[in-house]
Amino acid sequence: MKPFRCLVVVGAQWGDEGKGKIVDVLADRAAIIARYQGGANAGHTVHVGGEAFVLHQIPSGILHQGPRCLLGNGVVLDLEQFFPELDAIMARGIAAEPRIGISGRAHLLLEYHKRLDQASEQARGVARIGTTGKGIGPAYEDKIARTGVRVADLMDAERAHRLVAHATERANERLTRAGVAPMDPHQVADQVLKHRDRLLPLIVDTGREISRALERGEPVLLEGAQGALLDVDHGTYPFVTSSTTTAAGACTGVGIGPTRVEQVLGVVKAYTTRVGSGPLPTELAEPMQSRLRELGHEYGATTGRPRRCGWFDAVVVRYAAQVNGLTGLALTKLDVLDTLPEIRICTGYRARGHSYEIFPYDLRVLDHAEPEYETLPGWQTDTSGVRSHAGLPQAARAYLNRLEELTGVEIACVSVGTRREQIIER
């Protein structure tokens, strides 16, 4: 891995690629780690010293003692999730709270957002998107509609109570139409304000703090949630999240200019997974799907839902490289493929008599896409103890080389297990 000044770590598939581990590996090289979008619908699982930590809102770097960890303005903050998560980390001996800062421009995700999310998803019936029900979409809807409540609004208690109560009344109109019982506006406001005294000391201007760190020559890591194919503009819309998951969102999501970013590391699995509805061209048939799911323990960290599994899709990663400007790849879960006699790579699609090497924006094409595969021999050797590229089996090295050729991006590091030390840097 090259040294970095300002590095964005972004998912380059449909999320769940292992960004949490990669950020954890890089964390002791950064002065600041900032999360730039999403909310508690994300789940980053990090294994340290035999313990598993599942982080939903707090940057993965919090598990190191040094870096400052920030939540940018692009995040939607669920206080009912955030503070219990913070307390759980501190109960395990990590001095987390003094190192956390939260943008005053970040929007609050409130209880009525969750109820609206669940009611909306239920109403879609068979056309469900597959949201986590955590309220992310409705929170971003309020932000764009300019009816949201920001972290900075809590600085004035009376104004905050009034804003939250009025926002709850507006939400109640929608809940009533959906057949969901309305909420007491004053109870919702009181629930938010109970966190005020603890939240206020954490409020910072993330853009200013990051800019000053960069001016001092201190390295900064910007951490995304979900993946490029779940981006609201560039993903498989409407089967996407409600924020900008790509590297460009890092700048707007923390408050710095695009010229500050020098490197973009795309995290990919050695195969492909997806949670929820939407296209997955390389999705495996049974029983291979279940076999790969069990080998990789592919269940959502936030919801526990089984992930859909498929072979590595080079079309997807080439597209992610384009929209993110990837300067390197971090490939995770190579060890999951250790026992397979052969491994396939999708190099393109066939749909309605046409070939596609570029990821199509038309879901009708994706609905009919048949992957074009290359088949490579497996290595059938345990790689979990390997710590150098040269130490990998020849067939594993050939697989990695082919992925680099097909995606056009150099693989900077390879993860061969869940633990922090199970990493191969190049």
Side-chain angles (χ1 to χ4, degrees):
M1 287 285 295
K2 298 176 182 177
F4 61 86
R5 284 285 304 281
C6 188
L7 169 69
V8 179
V9 175
V10 62
Q13 294 164 317
W14 275 280
D16 305 308
E17 300 98 345
K19 295 180 294 298
K21 174 179 176 175
I22 299 304
V23 171
D24 177 70
V25 167
L26 298 174
D28 61 358
R29 310 172 201 186
I32 291 178
I33 298 171
R35 170 87 174 271
Y36 63 83
Q37 49 75 222
N41 57 332
H44 291 173
T45 303
V46 181
H47 295 261
V48 181
E51 290 189 82
F53 295 81
V54 180
L55 304 170
H56 297 280
Q57 293 187 103
I58 298 173
S60 305
I62 200 69
L63 303 180
H64 288 259
Q65 296 299 327
R68 175 98 160 124
C69 292
L70 305 179
L71 279 74
N73 53 276
V75 169
V76 286
L77 180 66
D78 181 351
L79 295 174
E80 297 300 317
Q81 169 75 45
F82 174 77
F83 281 117
E85 182 176 323
L86 179 58
D87 289 338
I89 293 172
M90 294 178 68
R92 296 169 76 171
I94 296 170
E97 193 157 355
R99 295 188 289 118
I100 287 180
I102 300 172
S103 172
R105 296 181 173 91
H107 279 246
L108 294 177
L109 188 152
L110 304 173
E111 182 60 33
Y112 58 76
H113 291 130
K114 301 174 192 176
R115 298 196 186 186
L116 286 168
D117 193 4
Q118 293 159 13
S120 175
E121 185 75 345
Q122 185 69 28
R124 288 190 175 99
V126 295
R128 291 177 186 175
I129 293 173
T131 76
T132 59
K134 299 290 186 180
I136 307 301
Y140 280 111
E141 286 179 41
D142 280 358
K143 177 178 179 176
I144 299 304
R146 294 167 292 181
T147 58
V149 180
R150 302 196 305 169
V151 168
D153 291 326
L154 269 62
M155 297 179 77
D156 183 329
E158 290 185 10
R159 181 171 182 271
H161 193 285
R162 185 169 62 253
L163 285 172
V164 175
H166 287 171
T168 307
E169 289 170 357
R170 288 193 299 271
N172 278 341
E173 295 175 7
R174 294 176 60 188
L175 289 171
T176 300
R177 289 196 298 271
V180 178
M183 306 178 69
D184 185 315
H186 299 291
Q187 285 185 2
V188 175
D190 290 342
Q191 184 70 13
V192 173
L193 287 170
K194 79 175 186 179
H195 298 292
R196 180 175 177 270
D197 289 344
R198 192 174 179 188
L199 179 63
L200 292 186
L202 303 180
I203 298 177
V204 298
D205 183 333
T206 55
R208 185 172 179 79
E209 187 167 335
I210 291 170
S211 293
R212 285 182 167 177
L214 291 172
E215 288 162 6
R216 293 191 297 267
E218 296 174 352
V220 171
L221 190 157
L222 306 179
E223 174 186 3
Q226 289 91 36
L229 275 294
L230 292 177
D231 184 89
V232 69
D233 286 300
H234 301 291
T236 48
Y237 190 91
F239 302 100
V240 294
T241 192
S242 300
S243 60
T244 301
T245 64
T246 49
C251 299
T252 56
V254 299
I256 62 172
T259 54
R260 294 288 198 178
V261 174
E262 296 179 353
Q263 297 176 50
V264 183
L265 183 67
V267 186
V268 294
K269 281 178 182 167
Y271 47 100
T272 308
T273 64
R274 169 167 206 162
V275 173
S277 305
L280 184 62
T282 65
E283 186 166 11
L284 290 162
E286 294 293 354
M288 188 60 196
Q289 168 136 201
S290 292
R291 181 182 180 188
L292 191 56
R293 181 183 297 126
E294 294 307 313
L295 285 171
H297 307 289
E298 295 295 350
Y299 296 89
T302 297
T303 64
R305 290 184 295 179
R307 296 177 184 137
R308 298 156 60 195
C309 299
W311 295 116
F312 188 93
D313 191 331
V315 182
V316 163
V317 181
R318 278 198 298 267
Y319 175 66
Q322 170 196 307
V323 297
N324 288 287
L326 297 183
T327 59
L329 290 176
L331 186 131
T332 64
K333 293 198 168 185
L334 182 69
D335 56 300
V336 172
L337 305 181
D338 283 352
T339 61
L340 303 183
E342 61 180 29
I343 299 163
R344 307 182 85 184
I345 305 171
C346 172
T347 60
Y349 306 147
R350 289 284 300 177
R352 296 177 172 176
H354 297 281
S355 293
Y356 295 85
E357 292 185 355
I358 303 300
F359 192 80
Y361 51 79
D362 189 342
L363 290 189
R364 294 172 299 174
V365 173
L366 288 170
D367 285 342
H368 295 88
E370 292 291 332
E372 296 178 327
Y373 285 118
E374 286 185 9
T375 301
L376 278 68
W379 43 93
Q380 296 186 289
T381 303
D382 182 8
T383 62
S384 62
V386 177
R387 297 294 178 268
S388 70
H389 183 71
L392 288 169
Q394 191 278 330
R397 296 198 304 272
Y399 181 64
L400 297 177
N401 291 341
R402 187 58 179 144
L403 296 187
E404 288 183 326
E405 292 171 357
L406 289 168
T407 61
V409 187
E410 180 180 318
I411 295 174
C413 63
V414 178
S415 173
V416 289
T418 59
R419 299 192 307 277
R420 180 183 287 169
E421 66 274 13
Q422 290 179 296
I423 197 81
I424 298 169
E425 297 195 40
R426 301 176 67 185

